[in-house]
C-alpha cells in the first residue's frame, strides 16, 4: 500500500507556489497555491486521508468508481472529495488527483498569478 500522505505531499510540494501550513493545528496539513486551498491531509477514524478539489461531475464519477473516494469530509460535498488510504489506491491515480485539484484552483486565480505560475513551470 502506498503512503498516502507522503505521496500526496511530495506531489503537491513539487508544484509552483505551493505552501503547506497547519492553521487547524497539528495533524492537518493544508496545501495552498497563492493562498487558495487545494489539498488537506489528515487522519479520520485512524485512516490517512486527503481532501482534494474536483469538478462536481468528476467527483460523482470518482465516487462511483472507487470505494476509497468519498464526498469531501467537512467540505462542500459537490466540489471536494476525500481520498482514503487503501491497498487498491495506485500512486498514479493519487498524483493525478492532486495535480487536477491544483490545476482547478490555479484556473480560478487572476491573470497575473496564472502567468507567474506558468513562468515558474518553464524554469
Amino acid at each position: 500500500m502506498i503512503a498516502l500522505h507522503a505521496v500526496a505531499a511530495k506531489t503537491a510540494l513539487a508544484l509552483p507556489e505551493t505552501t503547506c501550513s497547519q492553521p487547524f493545528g497539528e495533524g492537518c496539513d493544508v496545501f495552498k497555491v497563492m493562498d487558495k486551498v487545494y489539498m488537506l491531509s489528515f487522519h479520520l477514524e485512524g485512516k490517512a486521508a486527503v481532501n482534494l478539489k474536483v469538478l462536481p461531475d468528476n467527483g460523482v464519477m470518482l465516487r462511483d468508481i472507487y470505494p476509497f473516494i468519498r464526498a469531501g469530509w467537512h467540505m462542500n460535498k459537490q466540489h471536494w472529495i476525500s481520498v482514503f488510504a487503501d491497498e487498491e489506491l495506485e500512486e498514479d491515480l493519487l498524483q493525478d488527483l492532486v495535480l487536477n485539484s491544483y490545476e482547478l484552483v490555479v484556473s480560478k486565480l487572476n491573470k497575473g498569478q496564472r502567468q507567474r505560475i506558468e513562468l515558474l513551470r518553464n524554469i
Side-chain angles (χ1 to χ4, degrees), residues 27-38:
C28 182
D29 290 337
V30 177
F31 294 81
K32 297 178 182 180
V33 56
M34 299 282 190
D35 269 346
K36 303 287 185 199
V37 176
Y38 70 91

Side-chain angles (χ1 to χ4, degrees), residues 3 16 34 37 45-46 48 65 73 82 103 109 112 121:
M34 299 282 190
V37 176
E45 297 166 2
I65 295 171
W73 184 73
S82 290
E103 295 292 353
L109 296 174
R121 286 184 175 177

Side-chain angles (χ1 to χ4, degrees), residues 5 7 19 24 45 48 50 57 68 70 72 74 82 98 114 119:
H5 287 164
V7 171
T19 59
F24 307 118
E45 297 166 2
V50 292
D57 289 347
F68 49 83
R70 301 186 202 135
H74 262 302
S82 290
V98 171
R114 290 193 314 271
L119 284 171

Side-chain angles (χ1 to χ4, degrees), residues 6-15 18 38-39 91 94-96 98-99:
V7 171
K10 182 179 179 192
T11 303
L13 291 171
L15 299 168
T18 290
Y38 70 91
M39 182 171 80
E91 191 168 327
L94 179 58
Q95 290 170 330
D96 285 348
V98 171
L99 183 58

Side-chain angles (χ1 to χ4, degrees), residues 51-106:
N51 279 353
L52 296 163
K53 200 157 181 120
V54 291
L55 292 170
D57 289 347
N58 291 354
V60 170
M61 179 192 66
L62 289 164
R63 290 191 301 270
D64 286 348
I65 295 171
Y66 301 105
F68 49 83
I69 297 180
R70 301 186 202 135
W73 184 73
H74 262 302
M75 304 297 270
N76 179 310
K77 307 295 186 224
Q78 269 195 299
H79 297 278
W80 290 84
I81 54 171
S82 290
V83 181
F84 289 86
D86 190 282
E87 52 204 33
E88 299 295 315
L89 174 59
E90 293 181 12
E91 191 168 327
D92 288 351
L93 174 61
L94 179 58
Q95 290 170 330
D96 285 348
L97 291 171
V98 171
L99 183 58
N100 287 342
S101 180
Y102 173 87
E103 295 292 353
L104 189 56
V105 172
V106 166

